[in-house]
Structures are given as structure tokens and as C-alpha cells.
Amino acid sequence: MTPELERTLLKARTISAVEDDSSASRRALQRFHQVRVVRRRRRRLLGTMAATGVAGLVAFLVVRGTGNAPTISQPQTAVVTAAESVRDPGQGEALGQKGPASASPQLIHFPDGSSATLLTSRTELRMESVSDSALELTMASGEARFDVAPNPDRLFRVRSAGLRIEVIGTSFTVRTDRHQTSVSVHEGRVAVHQADRHNILTEGMSLKLDHALGPEAKTPPSVESAPPPTAPPPPAEPRRARGRRRRPAHKAEARRDALSPEAKLAEIRRLLAAADVDRFRGEPEEAVRKLTQIVAQFATHPQAVPAAFMLGRVLRRELDAPRRAAEAFAQAYSLAPSGTLADDALANEIECWVEVGDQQQARARARVYSQRFPGGRNQDRVRRATRP
Amino acid sequence: MNAQDDAASSAREPRTFDECFLRYHRMVATVGCRILGYNADIDDFVQDVFLEVHRSFASLSKPEAVGGWIRVIAVRVAMRRARRHRVRMALGLDKIFETDTVSVDASQEDAALLDRLYRTLDKMPAQSRVCWVLRHLEGEKIDDIAMLTNLSRSTVKRHLTKATVILQQVFDDS
């Protein structure tokens, strides 16, 4: 050991952080009990919100037997818990508060980790059924953004104006009114069905259906896309093929599914290390390609979250691509909305939307931030970014 | 509790949670400082450790072993935080260590040495960092380090070798 290191060790050993003072110790004890009470209250509040969701659902099911189907008022941030299926479409539980009193977007959390942000007070969203294998919603009017937690064993379906939108882990917005219904995909892949017409939308694509043409219109809904998809979309799977048994669409996906957990982790680490090397070499585009690969191919792995976050950072800082960066941060948030990076991911997303010039989206996401992270470490930063 | 109560309780093993906290919170804070660095949020770290202690305190079967048990919890919480700190540093969310000379009882020269030490520890994997600190700053034996960190003896030795090589290179180059 070098003399300098020895000296450093000696100094480090002699320094202690806390003074030997009994009054300071008693003050520390007092602070501990105060913090413990605050954390216990916070846990109880979350438990109460979950219990409110269950109680409301039970009340609805009881009243439904008498022929009345009340609209259940939910708090602005609601947690929906699992319940038995409701059989009649359109008669499901209403979500969110309706009417002019509801001034700000409402965030609805679902039991599988997905969420819906009701972007206007006119949004009518009903939950038809929720189970381990499927979560089905109906949207009659308004606009809502859905952030769907990746889960190949669970179908997330939204019905709106004759469209049936099915996703397995993605983020998309549905807007519907008397004249038109549109679906915009922010990340991931969405299947949109209308009668016997089927469309697969990927990131950056949107679909519009003009209601004036009617449900039997020969003209299909218009699909707009940014970059074309790089791989052919998989065929729509028959209903009975869903569930625990998965059928990969192509060989690469089959190879990936065959990897053991250790091999998956090793592959992810290899790609992360290679992305770091690319960045140090001044080749951020290559790094983006590798990080995108991790997020796309290993979306359900915990490492996908930091990969998505890093992707956002590289796109924003090294490639000056704030829109793509916003989408990457949004994905990092949606993959783990309660994770350690969620707060920062959402804050970065908001700043990117401001850089893009999409103030509406930035403010909508800022409201989500305020609801999800009251007093969060990025509160000031978000406020500064969205100041008019 | 007053000073007389303090003196009486320090002569025997702590019986209540409050006595435990008063007896061991300095030890926990010191472990936290040495593993995480002197600019870490040590108050928050101590809170986290004692919250875990509080949750399981009622079911403690050997009150005489409470000190060792708290030490295990402190090391494992510190290891989790060190791991999280590395991830956040890689993503640019946390800064690399800088000594806060106002709060540390050290001369400018000593602060620079501590700075270099903790900057180097910041670059190591969390487990190597924790093993090295426990060995060289806390003076723990390898078997005890293995118990504290829930790693095997050979893994602890491997981490110690890795950390020592890195530190010797840094301090040799200076």
C-alpha cells in the first residue's frame, strides 16, 4: 500500500459523521419518529385510495342489480382494482369525474401498472372488464392518453366508435367526437380493427376515421405514418392463441424468447457496454440503435427502463432530437411508473416537449407530474419549463 | 429520558427501540458515511436503516445480538444505496463525490485526499466499494464481511482484490 493511501485511510478512519452528544442523539430520535409517522400516513393514504376503488366497485355491482347504473365519482388520481367481469358492453363502470367541475387531466391507474390520462373534461371512459388476461375499456367521447405496461400475457383493449384498439405494452392517444376518431401511437405497437379491416400502427403513426362516411364505408380509415415500420407487422393472432402460450412472429423473436434469463441479461449488458463505447467514440447514432434494440427486444426486463432513459438523454443532448427524446423518456416512465427513474423520466419528457414547441403536451404531462409526484425533486424544474 | 437514564441504559443491552436508536445511531451514521461518502444524505440513510429495524424489532429473538443485527441492516441498506448511486451517476442524475470540507473535520490537504479516495470508490462496483470500506476503514474480517454483505468468502476476496488494485493505481499515479 502506498504511503499516501495509508495516510488517506488513517484520516478516513478518524473522521466520524456524528458528534458524541446525547442531546443531539435525542433530537435525532425525535426526528426519526416524526418521519416514521409521515411515511405511515402516506402508506395509509395509498391504501385508502385503493380501498375507495374497491368500495365504489362493490357499490356499483350491488346497485346494478336494481337496474340503476350510477356514474361513480373517482378522485382525480384513481386506482382501479381488479373486479369480476361486467358482461354487457357499454354498461361498464364509468371512470373519472365528468363535467365542467373537472378542470385538470385525471390519471387513472389500473391494476396491471397501466394508466390512462383523461385529457379533457368531456372524456367518457368506461371500464368493461378487468382480469389477469385482459383489460377492456370503452371510450364514448373526449381524449385520453393510455400508457400500457408491457405484458405479453394480458390484452389491453380500448373500444371507440366502431374501432377496437388492442395493445401489448405501448403508449397511445385516442381522440373521439361526433365527427372523427383518431389513434396516435407514441411508442410500441398497436393493432386497430374496424369490422374486417385491420391496421398495425407503430411509433409515430396515426389513424383517423371519419364518422360521416359511416361504419360500412368502403374508404378505409386514413393512416399517416412517419418512418415506415422496419419489420412486417405480425398477423393478428386468433383469440385462443393468446394467454400464456406465445407464438413469436419471426425467427429473431423466437431466438430471443429461447434465451435463459442469464443470457438475456448478458445480451443486455453487452449492448449497454457497446452503446457506451459508441458514445465515447462520438457515434451517438450507433448508441441510439443499440439502446433502441434493448428497449424493443427486452421491454419486460427491468434493464429496459434505464436503457430507455439513456436513450432519451442521448437523443436530447447528443443528437438534438427532442421529440424522439420525449418519446423515449415517456417510455422509461411508462415501463416503471413507480420506479426510481420515474420522477426524472417524466421531468425530462416535459422539458423535451417544451423544446419541441408542444406546450399543450408539456402542460398535460406536467399535470401528471404534479399528481404523481407532489413535492417531487423535479417540481421546480417542471414548473420553470412550463411557465407561460 | 434524562442524563441519568442515559447512563443507566448504556450500562446494559438496550431493551426498547428508543434505547437501540440512541445507542447505535452513531454507529449507523459512521458506517453510512464511510461507505457512501461524507456528502451523502446520512440523515436519510439513518432513517431508512432504523425504519427497517423498527419494523422487525418486536420479533427480535436475541436482544443481546441487536447491535450486530443493526450493523447488518446498515451495511445492506448502504450497499443498495451505493448501487442506486452508480446507476444514477451513469445517467447523469447524481454527481461524483466532492468532499464538503465544512462538515468534515479535515484540513484542506486531508480533504483533497478524501476527495480522491471517494471519487475512486464512486467508480467501483457497489459490492467492491462496500467490501473494501468494511475491510480497510471498518477493520472487519473477511468472514464478517461475507456475513454482513451476504456474499461468499471467495466473492468478498475477489472484490477486495479488485478494489485494492484500482486504489493503488490511483494513489501510485499521483
Side-chain angles (χ1 to χ4, degrees):
Chain A
M1 197 176 283
T2 64
E4 200 161 65
L5 183 55
E6 278 194 45
R7 189 178 147 207
T8 306
L9 287 181
L10 202 65
K11 184 46 66 178
R13 279 184 210 127
T14 57
I15 290 173
S16 175
V18 179
E19 288 181 19
D20 195 5
D21 172 3
S22 60
S23 59
S25 298
R26 281 197 291 278
R27 281 197 300 274
L29 176 62
Q30 206 172 10
R31 267 197 317 271
F32 169 79
H33 283 300
Q34 285 167 354
V35 168
R36 190 174 62 83
V37 167
V38 167
R39 287 193 190 189
R40 192 170 57 195
R41 277 188 197 146
R42 205 175 290 162
R43 274 201 309 273
R44 280 187 188 158
L45 179 63
L46 287 174
T48 303
M49 283 166 59
T52 304
V54 171
L57 217 48
V58 168
F60 168 74
L61 291 169
V62 167
V63 173
R64 191 170 72 89
T66 66
N68 293 326
T71 298
I72 300 169
S73 288
Q74 297 283 345
Q76 289 231 324
T77 301
V79 177
V80 176
T81 55
E84 60 179 275
S85 294
V86 176
R87 289 176 191 274
D88 300 328
Q91 297 300 315
E93 176 199 350
L95 302 174
Q97 269 181 335
K98 294 197 297 186
S102 171
S104 55
Q106 299 170 62
L107 182 65
I108 314 283
H109 288 289
F110 298 105
D112 67 339
S114 304
S115 63
T117 308
L118 311 187
L119 297 172
T120 70
S121 59
R122 296 186 319 275
T123 304
E124 287 185 40
L125 186 68
R126 302 186 84 85
M127 187 175 71
E128 302 298 341
S129 67
V130 56
S131 66
D132 286 344
S133 59
L135 195 154
E136 303 203 21
L137 306 164
T138 303
M139 194 165 128
S141 67
E143 185 175 355
R145 173 172 171 142
F146 299 90
D147 293 288
V148 180
N151 185 348
D153 298 327
R154 187 265 300 119
L155 181 69
F156 190 101
R157 178 184 285 152
V158 179
R159 293 178 196 270
S160 183
L163 291 179
R164 190 173 85 241
I165 306 147
E166 296 173 348
V167 300
I168 306 174
T170 188
S171 175
F172 63 100
T173 297
V174 177
R175 176 185 278 181
T176 185
D177 57 31
R178 282 180 303 167
H179 308 293
Q180 197 178 64
T181 295
S182 65
V183 181
S184 305
V185 177
H186 309 296
E187 60 253 344
R189 197 196 295 264
V190 167
V192 182
H193 309 280
Q194 186 210 7
D196 59 350
R197 295 193 194 113
H198 309 287
N199 289 281
I200 301 291
L201 306 183
T202 56
E203 180 186 324
M205 295 175 79
S206 61
L207 178 146
K208 285 192 181 116
L209 173 67
D210 192 334
H211 296 172
L213 296 177
E216 302 304 322
K218 291 187 181 150
T219 309
S222 62
V223 175
E224 296 161 8
S225 61
T230 53
E237 295 180 65
R239 186 75 177 88
R240 62 174 178 274
R242 293 193 193 103
R244 298 211 174 271
R245 194 161 52 90
R246 297 173 56 197
R247 289 192 184 156
H250 49 86
K251 286 181 184 172
E253 198 175 341
R255 273 202 303 276
R256 190 177 68 245
D257 289 339
L259 289 177
S260 65
E262 293 79 17
K264 278 184 186 169
L265 184 60
E267 173 65 3
I268 291 169
R269 281 183 175 157
R270 185 191 69 77
L271 287 168
L272 283 172
D276 277 341
V277 170
D278 290 331
R279 288 175 57 215
F280 287 130
R281 280 187 187 155
E283 295 171 352
E285 295 90 349
E286 276 301 306
V288 163
R289 198 180 59 77
K290 291 178 177 79
L291 293 166
T292 305
Q293 192 180 341
I294 294 172
V295 178
Q297 292 181 2
F298 302 98
T300 55
H301 196 283
Q303 289 293 322
V305 179
F309 192 100
M310 179 60 79
L311 176 61
R313 284 177 58 85
V314 174
L315 285 166
R316 184 182 182 189
R317 295 196 180 181
E318 297 176 41
L319 289 172
D320 197 24
R323 180 177 292 276
R324 289 170 66 197
E327 289 160 358
F329 285 124
Q331 187 161 22
Y333 171 75
S334 70
L335 287 174
S338 303
T340 39
L341 293 176
D343 189 333
D344 296 288
L346 191 47
N348 273 280
E349 184 199 342
I350 291 162
E351 287 176 341
C352 286
W353 285 123
V354 172
E355 286 168 28
V356 166
D358 192 340
Q359 290 292 340
Q360 188 180 0
Q361 183 65 3
R363 281 197 282 270
R365 297 300 277 165
R367 285 190 281 267
V368 171
Y369 183 93
S370 299
Q371 287 162 0
R372 284 281 290 121
F373 308 108
R377 59 176 167 267
N378 291 301
Q379 191 75 47
D380 288 341
R381 183 178 157 193
V382 166
R383 209 175 284 135
R384 277 197 304 272
T386 52
R387 205 180 299 160
Chain B
M1 290 178 72
N2 55 27
Q4 275 180 333
D5 291 336
D6 285 348
S9 67
S10 66
R12 53 167 168 76
E13 282 303 324
R15 289 185 206 146
T16 65
F17 173 81
D18 283 5
E19 286 179 4
C20 264
F21 185 98
L22 293 172
R23 174 80 68 87
Y24 294 113
H25 90 280
R26 188 164 173 263
M27 178 271 286
V28 167
T30 304
V31 165
C33 273
R34 286 177 173 172
I35 291 177
L36 300 172
Y38 297 93
N39 66 346
D41 190 350
I42 294 301
D43 278 350
D44 196 60
F45 168 76
V46 170
Q47 294 280 351
D48 277 354
V49 170
F50 278 99
L51 276 170
E52 286 200 29
V53 171
H54 190 270
R55 272 183 219 128
S56 314
F57 191 76
S59 56
L60 187 64
S61 55
K62 291 185 184 175
E64 64 277 12
V66 67
W69 173 62
I70 292 176
R71 194 172 174 76
V72 169
I73 294 175
V75 167
R76 297 198 188 167
V77 170
M79 200 147 71
R80 282 202 300 270
R81 282 189 169 225
R83 211 175 280 136
R84 208 181 311 155
H85 174 59
R86 256 180 76 81
V87 171
R88 289 176 61 82
M89 266 201 324
L91 297 171
L93 299 171
D94 274 359
K95 291 183 193 166
I96 204 161
F97 179 86
E98 280 175 11
T99 315
D100 179 358
T101 54
V102 173
S103 62
V104 173
D105 177 22
S107 65
Q108 290 283 346
E109 195 183 341
D110 291 340
L113 284 176
L114 289 175
D115 219 67
R116 200 188 317 160
L117 173 66
Y118 279 94
R119 279 172 175 268
T120 311
L121 290 175
D122 264 357
K123 291 174 190 166
M124 283 181 204
Q127 288 176 341
S128 304
R129 173 193 191 128
V130 170
C131 288
W132 189 88
V133 168
L134 290 175
R135 180 83 176 119
H136 292 284
L137 295 188
E138 292 285 303
E140 296 281 3
K141 295 178 192 158
I142 290 185
D143 287 338
D144 292 334
I145 296 173
M147 184 272 299
L148 286 166
T149 56
N150 200 26
L151 297 170
S152 69
R153 211 168 176 277
S154 56
T155 304
V156 169
K157 281 180 165 180
R158 187 164 44 83
H159 282 300
L160 282 173
T161 307
K162 188 191 289 187
T164 304
V165 163
I166 293 171
L167 279 161
Q168 282 186 333
Q169 277 172 355
V170 167
F171 281 83
D172 265 343
D173 287 346
S174 61

